[in-house]
Amino acid sequence: MKKNIIIFSTVLALMSLAFFGFTNWNTTKIEKIKSSDSAILAFDQNVKRNLPDLYYGVDTRFAAIKKSDIDSATTIYDFLNEGEKQQIVEINSVKLVKIKNNRLSDSAEYGNDEQLTDAQIKLIKSTTYFDHFTVRTKFKGKNEKTGKLEDRLFSPHITVVPYHQARYNDGKEALINYLKDNSINDLNIIENKELGAIKIAFVVTKEGQISNIKHDAMTTGYPSLDKKLMELIKSIPGEWTPAKTSEGEQLDYEFVFTFGPRDGC
């Protein structure tokens, strides 16, 4: 009987040791996980403290208007949104200017009211896909607080696009999330919210491939971050649907990726 009691006690002791060891190992593992999560959270919070409100955008260079709509335009209101239209009380002058290399060119035509002149209509009809122009409208608008008329200026910048624009098959939101998720670890170099904006141009070819990636304008102020963003554009996963004319002809299509402080883009 004594022998059985000794054996039982020994087994019980071994089981207790095994249970204690497992519990201790499991607790240590949990603590390590918690510690790891805390480190990630601290890193995340530290990065956010150094960041301004960020903007990620992938779009045409300027506001996209179809070539067919441009060819049928007869007044400046064809290029303004409803809010802008409602602000105009009296038009002083209208200057229609082509934009080349991100600058106003010498190719310009003038008018004095909302009706486009024959020369202005000829100029916009001479544009082709992915040309850019602006309609600089000087006008008088009413100050909502004082009720007095004030001199104001609208200068919408426009990009001529085909009937069907190129698109990312997984959707724009998925594309922006890819850029955000894969750049977050590179933002820890930003100091005191000091960050510039950068524009990176790329082309979706008529075969649906990304090409002609170039640092288009400006810089974040951090060469390694600029380089990382260029690499992300080169490595965008998924597929694209090419741009098409109304007749079904596929075209190369330029996009511009813009990144930087929301109030500076």
Side-chain angles (χ1 to χ4, degrees):
M1 181 72 178
K2 272 187 177 183
K3 187 176 180 181
N4 288 339
I5 291 173
I6 291 169
I7 292 171
F8 177 75
S9 299
T10 302
V11 170
L12 186 61
L14 290 171
M15 288 177 64
S16 297
L17 285 171
F19 176 76
F20 175 78
F22 173 78
T23 303
N24 188 52
W25 174 83
N26 199 43
T27 302
T28 303
K29 184 179 179 183
I30 290 171
E31 289 302 321
K32 284 183 178 178
I33 291 172
K34 287 182 177 177
S35 175
S36 175
D37 287 346
S38 297
I40 292 170
L41 182 60
F43 171 79
D44 225 18
Q45 290 174 339
N46 185 53
V47 168
K48 287 178 180 177
R49 277 198 298 270
N50 288 325
L51 295 182
D53 186 19
L54 295 176
Y55 174 80
Y56 292 77
V58 178
D59 221 320
T60 48
R61 185 172 298 277
F62 304 121
I65 298 184
K66 294 176 182 177
K67 174 65 174 169
S68 55
D69 292 334
I70 286 171
D71 286 346
S72 62
T74 57
T75 79
I76 65 162
Y77 294 115
D78 292 314
F79 307 114
L80 302 179
N81 61 43
E82 288 302 317
E84 291 169 336
K85 293 175 185 177
Q86 292 173 11
Q87 293 183 48
I88 296 176
V89 175
E90 179 184 336
I91 293 175
N92 297 327
S93 67
V94 176
K95 180 182 179 182
L96 199 150
V97 193
K98 282 190 175 182
I99 299 172
K100 295 181 180 179
N101 300 319
N102 288 325
R103 296 179 180 275
L104 298 180
S105 73
D106 295 330
S107 183
E109 296 294 346
Y110 299 81
N112 297 313
D113 55 36
E114 69 271 15
Q115 291 293 325
L116 298 175
T117 66
D118 290 343
Q120 288 175 325
I121 289 174
K122 183 178 179 181
L123 188 149
I124 60 173
K125 283 189 174 182
S126 72
T127 60
T128 187
Y129 298 125
F130 312 114
D131 280 350
H132 317 287
F133 66 91
T134 181
V135 184
R136 294 177 59 83
T137 304
K138 292 182 179 180
F139 67 97
K140 291 189 180 297
K142 184 179 289 187
N143 185 306
E144 293 181 359
K145 292 183 178 180
T146 65
K148 295 181 179 180
L149 293 181
E150 299 175 339
D151 289 329
R152 296 181 182 175
L153 170 70
F154 282 145
S155 186
H157 284 44
I158 295 160
T159 296
V160 185
V161 299
Y163 190 80
H164 298 285
Q165 299 177 54
R167 61 181 176 83
Y168 185 59
N169 290 359
D170 292 334
K172 193 170 185 177
E173 184 178 353
L175 177 56
I176 297 301
N177 286 338
Y178 156 77
L179 294 166
K180 285 182 178 180
D181 293 345
N182 289 281
S183 61
I184 185 63
N185 291 334
D186 296 88
L187 304 182
N188 60 350
I189 60 173
I190 296 171
E191 298 179 356
N192 302 319
K193 297 187 177 182
E194 294 180 3
L195 179 69
I198 185 173
K199 291 181 180 290
I200 299 171
F202 65 99
V203 170
V204 175
T205 68
K206 53 190 174 184
E207 292 80 27
Q209 304 298 316
I210 293 177
S211 71
N212 296 357
I213 302 151
K214 63 180 180 180
H215 185 168
D216 189 70
M218 304 179 291
T219 174
T220 63
Y222 303 92
S224 64
L225 182 55
D226 291 351
K227 182 180 178 182
K228 176 65 175 183
L229 294 171
M230 289 279 289
E231 290 173 352
L232 288 178
I233 295 298
K234 291 177 183 177
S235 305
I236 293 174
E239 297 181 347
W240 293 80
T241 297
K244 293 180 182 179
T245 66
S246 56
E247 293 79 23
E249 178 189 358
Q250 295 186 340
L251 301 170
D252 291 350
Y253 193 100
E254 182 192 58
F255 281 103
V256 177
F257 166 55
T258 304
F259 167 81
R262 189 170 292 277
D263 59 2
C265 290

